[in-house]
Amino acid sequence: MHTPVALLLELGVILTALSVLGAVGRRFALSPVPLYLVAGLALGDGGLAPVPAAREFVDTGAAIGVILLLLTLGLDFTVREFTSSLHRHRSSAVVDLVLNAVPGALAGWLLGLDAAGILALAGATYVSSSGIVARLLGDLRRLGNRETPAVLSVLVLEDFAMAVYLPLLAVVTAGGTWAQALFAVLVATVVVAVAIAASGRWGHHVGRILSHADAEQVLLRVLGVTLIVAALAELAHVSAAVGAFLIGLSLTGAAADRARTVLSPLRDLFAAVFFLALGLSVDLGDLLPALPAATALALVTAVTKMAAGWYAAGRDGTGRRGRLRAGTALIARGEFSVVIIGLAAPAQDRLGALVTTYVMILAVCGPLLTRCAPTGPAPLPKAEPDGGRALSKTHPLPAPSAGSAHGVTGPG
Amino acid sequence: MDVNEVLLPGVGLRYEFVNHEGHRVGVVAQRSGEFELVVYPGEDPDEAKPVLRLTGEEADALAEILGAPRIAERFADLTREVPGLSAGQVEVRPDSPFAGRPLGETRARTRTGASIVAVVRGEDVIASPGPAQGLRAGDVMVVIGTREGIAGVQRIVQG
């Protein structure tokens, strides 16, 4: 076997660079997504260091990255969370959709894009980054806050809307007629509904087939089935990403937890490759001209996202400060705006540059803005390492030894 | 006491309750297995003040500390309320004829009148075991009955 030295070297350098970028980003509580995009830009045509040998691998890896992103999104989903979100925040989801998709669509129309471009841009401005936001809420210790369920519900409903939106986009991008697009949406909706119903009823069977005591087996089975279904979905023009999402949906409970654990390192790798590939595909020279439009769009949609969050948190009876926190938390756009462009961009050069810039702005500014949202004093200072040692005694874990744990008297 | 359960889609669950002093307390149980304990101080009722973050293991230890004495108390209360009733423990030794057999085969209740209310196996407690519940060497059965009844169960199980 011939060892492709150039590929290995380039890939190794790229991954090392990404890890350094990611670590620096985490240090400043930034999402790695915009940093990976920047890395891709630097490596692409007209960038600092082109990587011809790794290009093919990166492009293949990117396709797998999208599939894994959507698969894990589906795995995170539970019927109970979806129905309760829908029950409580249906109107929030509508407000969110109208307020945030319309500016994107308008911008697309003003820029003279075609129908596919307008649709893609509307999607990119609509969907917040559930990855960035959920992590941010944990990092900022806001999971206990009253506005948090509203924020998370909006994210779940947005993610779910992707299941309908992506096939629509796939057909329109492929130059299909609106009737075909409508049909694709219909098919996707029915299939998703069936998948949910089936996962409730027969999910444990699917889980049994795909789960195994051996982690390697779980990885190969889930990945194999997902890639097959994704390929079939792509052939049927409902987008490979939606196929992967369906597999994620149909796995529930323990099987989903296991699949998530096994797949998440792989997901992290290929998702990074995907973001990199998107950066690579954008010409650095296109970026600067896109900056004014991207900035304007970012400003407008930051405000509209805030309004959507304000409304959603208000429905849960949250006060002014909480509504402000909810609004700012939702501003961040990230992986799914990028996924959308990944699907639509091959046909749309300007769109790629515009949305890449847009995501880089909001993925960085969104988290910063919500940090500035009103919160109380910082958490309690940590206790001195030796504080109170004199009075305390360290016990080993109270192992529930059968003899004494329950303190019942022995037999007479 | 009412414990309010709030779904945190994609993250986990949050339990909220008000304690006897009027403090609103929240426990965030994340899917990752981590826990966060929060309280809601006055000025902004929507904002939680984080108190503690616990890993799964730490949460287990805490639960045990809080839970174990209460189980013992409940058994003690029960036996105090009914004169003549006691609780005892009978270990299934490796040489017991019932190690590896179902609980029902001991016919303990029929023969002694004492009830086996739980089987403690390592860190697990099998509450209200049915007759089909298998016994293993090292299990400890929690028995409720008269003193003679408990001694009878011990004789049967330990052979």
Side-chain angles (χ1 to χ4, degrees):
Chain A
M1 197 178 81
H2 167 69
T3 308
V5 179
L7 168 71
L8 295 184
L9 193 64
E10 283 184 16
L11 209 56
V13 171
I14 291 173
L15 292 182
T16 314
L18 289 186
S19 98
V20 172
L21 280 176
V24 171
R26 287 299 301 163
R27 179 114 207 194
F28 298 99
L30 288 175
S31 158
V33 173
L35 299 173
Y36 293 166
L37 289 175
V38 171
L41 283 172
L43 297 175
D45 302 332
L48 304 173
V51 280
R55 196 58 190 263
E56 198 180 330
F57 174 81
V58 168
D59 285 344
T60 315
I64 298 177
V66 177
I67 285 171
L68 286 174
L69 274 170
L70 267 292
L71 172 68
T72 42
L73 184 70
L75 286 175
D76 272 335
F77 171 92
T78 68
V79 176
R80 181 167 169 231
E81 286 175 358
F82 173 65
T83 45
S84 91
S85 298
L86 193 66
H87 182 69
R88 210 173 165 76
H89 284 287
R90 196 178 311 139
S91 65
S92 314
V94 173
V95 168
D96 180 37
L97 173 66
V98 171
L99 282 181
N100 292 292
V102 169
L106 272 179
W109 178 66
L110 286 175
L111 291 169
L113 300 175
D114 60 5
I118 290 173
L119 189 64
L121 197 54
T125 57
Y126 161 59
V127 64
S128 293
S129 164
S130 42
I132 295 178
V133 177
R135 179 149 202 178
L136 193 65
L137 292 176
D139 286 350
L140 294 178
R141 318 277 300 253
R142 287 195 191 159
L143 293 177
N145 289 8
R146 196 188 304 186
E147 78 274 7
T148 297
V151 173
L152 294 172
S153 295
V154 168
L155 291 177
V156 163
L157 295 174
E158 276 183 6
D159 289 348
F160 207 74
M162 286 295 107
V164 176
Y165 170 82
L166 289 177
L168 178 68
L169 183 68
V171 172
V172 173
T173 306
T177 62
W178 284 100
Q180 280 172 318
L182 216 60
F183 180 69
V185 169
L186 208 66
V187 168
T189 316
V190 170
V191 173
V192 167
V194 169
I196 291 174
S199 81
R201 246 192 117 103
W202 297 296
H204 55 285
H205 290 301
V206 182
R208 208 167 49 210
I209 295 166
L210 292 181
S211 58
H212 192 272
D214 190 2
E216 188 184 338
Q217 276 291 323
V218 175
L219 176 69
L220 294 178
R221 285 182 194 187
V222 174
L223 197 60
V225 170
T226 305
L227 291 181
I228 292 171
V229 172
L232 292 179
E234 188 70 35
L235 276 179
H237 298 294
V238 274
S239 145
V242 172
F245 185 57
L246 285 177
I247 293 293
L249 282 185
S250 55
L251 278 174
T252 50
D257 289 340
R258 183 128 168 79
R260 199 167 28 227
T261 322
V262 171
L263 285 169
S264 64
L266 206 61
R267 193 266 321 262
D268 293 344
L269 170 66
F270 281 102
V273 169
F274 166 68
F275 296 127
L276 192 76
L278 205 92
L280 271 171
S281 70
V282 172
D283 195 328
L284 212 54
D286 290 345
L287 214 58
L288 218 54
L291 193 61
T295 312
L297 196 57
L299 274 175
V300 172
T301 55
V303 173
T304 53
K305 224 9 149 181
M306 275 208 58
W310 175 275
Y311 175 83
R315 281 186 59 81
D316 278 357
T318 311
R320 209 179 54 82
R321 287 156 57 101
R323 295 172 83 170
L324 217 55
R325 285 192 298 266
T328 49
L330 282 169
I331 290 175
R333 313 294 205 281
E335 66 275 26
F336 287 102
S337 304
V338 180
V339 167
I340 289 167
I341 295 316
L343 288 176
Q348 314 270 345
D349 261 358
R350 289 163 60 201
L351 199 59
L354 174 63
V355 174
T356 306
T357 319
Y358 172 79
V359 168
M360 286 195 293
I361 295 172
L362 283 187
V364 173
C365 294
L368 291 179
L369 274 172
T370 198
R371 249 161 217 278
C372 305
T375 53
L380 294 173
K382 288 201 174 103
E384 292 282 312
D386 276 341
R389 181 60 62 81
L391 288 174
S392 72
K393 199 163 85 182
T394 340
H395 295 277
L397 249 176
S401 78
S404 63
H406 301 282
V408 280
T409 51
Chain B
M1 191 179 88
D2 288 331
V3 178
N4 193 15
E5 193 185 298
V6 183
L7 271 185
L8 301 176
V11 174
L13 278 172
R14 186 169 77 212
Y15 301 93
E16 296 170 351
F17 60 89
V18 179
N19 77 350
H20 70 284
E21 287 186 309
H23 293 297
R24 205 148 71 85
V25 181
V27 179
V28 178
Q30 290 180 247
R31 273 190 194 167
S32 54
E34 283 159 16
F35 287 84
E36 186 164 352
L37 202 66
V38 299
V39 291
Y40 299 84
E43 76 224 48
D44 181 355
D46 302 333
E47 189 183 347
K49 188 176 186 145
V51 182
L52 286 175
R53 276 209 266 205
L54 300 171
T55 64
E57 198 187 342
E58 290 159 356
D60 281 348
L62 183 62
E64 212 140 281
I65 294 165
L66 297 175
R70 298 195 44 93
I71 293 173
E73 267 167 41
R74 268 180 234 152
F75 273 117
D77 287 350
L78 184 68
T79 49
R80 206 175 301 132
E81 272 166 27
V82 186
L85 194 65
S86 353
Q89 299 173 42
V90 176
E91 191 187 348
V92 182
R93 298 199 183 123
D95 59 352
S96 161
F98 295 101
R101 314 288 313 164
L103 176 61
E105 284 191 11
T106 61
R107 295 182 51 241
R109 182 155 32 181
T110 325
R111 288 159 70 181
T112 66
S115 294
I116 291 144
V117 295
V119 175
V120 181
R121 177 173 297 160
E123 296 196 357
D124 298 326
V125 177
I126 302 156
S128 309
Q133 175 64 50
L135 293 176
R136 291 189 205 157
D139 284 357
V140 172
M141 308 191 306
V142 178
V143 188
I144 297 224
T146 58
R147 282 184 177 276
E148 299 77 49
I150 294 168
V153 173
Q154 187 161 33
R155 270 196 305 279
I156 294 170
V157 171
Q158 298 183 345

